Amino acid sequence: MSEQPRGFERGTDGPKVIVAGVDGSESSLRAASYASGLARRQNALLALVYVQPLMTAGAAFGVPVADTTGEIAEGLVAEIREATERVRGIWDVRWEFHTFRGDPYSGLVAAADELKADAVVVGASESAGHRIVGSVAVRLVKAGRWPVTVVP
């Protein structure tokens, strides 16, 4: 019997990398908490991903968007570190924080591809407009490239 080449193999023995999208919303923070528990139980790396928008309506009017989104990212990292410290010694999770640029869907797809994610966890959309366009979660599920968990 010849041995098969050992390249990257997605999700055969449980997740090794779990991507969780965070944007500061309550549902994204619940998704991060859920993903951290999953990462702990699976001994997986938790990759927390914040997608910085490329340009918003405010940018067209001279609002410094890069500064604002950078502050959001810094705030998220501080909040995550604080939560990590609260549970230190009870249980530990290997985690990293990443920022990507783009719209939330494209940013999470890029993150999941680059980080070789085995699973993606996102919060349920809190926007009424997503009923028409489709939420990020629905679009990720339709992509069919990773198991996607949507946390309410």
Side-chain angles (χ1 to χ4, degrees):
M1 231 167 122
S2 68
E3 190 172 314
Q4 295 289 328
R6 293 189 180 193
F8 175 68
E9 192 174 346
R10 190 178 306 274
T12 55
D13 296 324
K16 296 296 178 207
V17 177
I18 300 168
V19 165
V22 292
D23 62 8
S25 67
E26 287 297 318
S27 66
S28 79
L29 297 176
R30 285 191 298 272
S33 293
Y34 180 90
S36 69
L38 182 60
R40 178 184 58 82
R41 290 185 297 279
Q42 296 290 331
N43 194 29
L45 173 66
L46 173 61
L48 297 163
V49 174
Y50 170 62
V51 180
Q52 293 182 328
L54 290 175
M55 182 170 169
T56 64
F61 298 107
V63 176
V65 175
D67 292 343
T68 303
T69 59
E71 289 170 12
I72 291 170
E74 288 173 17
L76 287 168
V77 169
E79 192 169 337
I80 293 161
R81 283 201 171 110
E82 182 181 310
T84 303
E85 285 302 314
R86 282 195 306 262
V87 296
R88 186 176 303 281
I90 299 169
W91 54 271
D92 290 318
V93 173
R94 293 180 302 123
W95 66 277
E96 300 172 348
F97 184 82
H98 300 269
T99 58
F100 284 77
R101 294 191 186 278
D103 67 274
Y105 170 76
S106 298
L108 286 172
V109 167
D113 283 344
E114 185 175 312
L115 300 169
K116 296 187 175 172
D118 296 301
V120 178
V121 180
V122 293
S125 173
E126 296 177 355
S127 170
H130 287 158
R131 286 185 219 127
I132 298 166
V133 177
S135 70
V136 171
V138 168
R139 293 173 66 196
L140 288 168
V141 169
K142 285 182 178 181
R145 293 163 61 184
W146 322 267
V148 177
T149 301
V150 182
V151 177

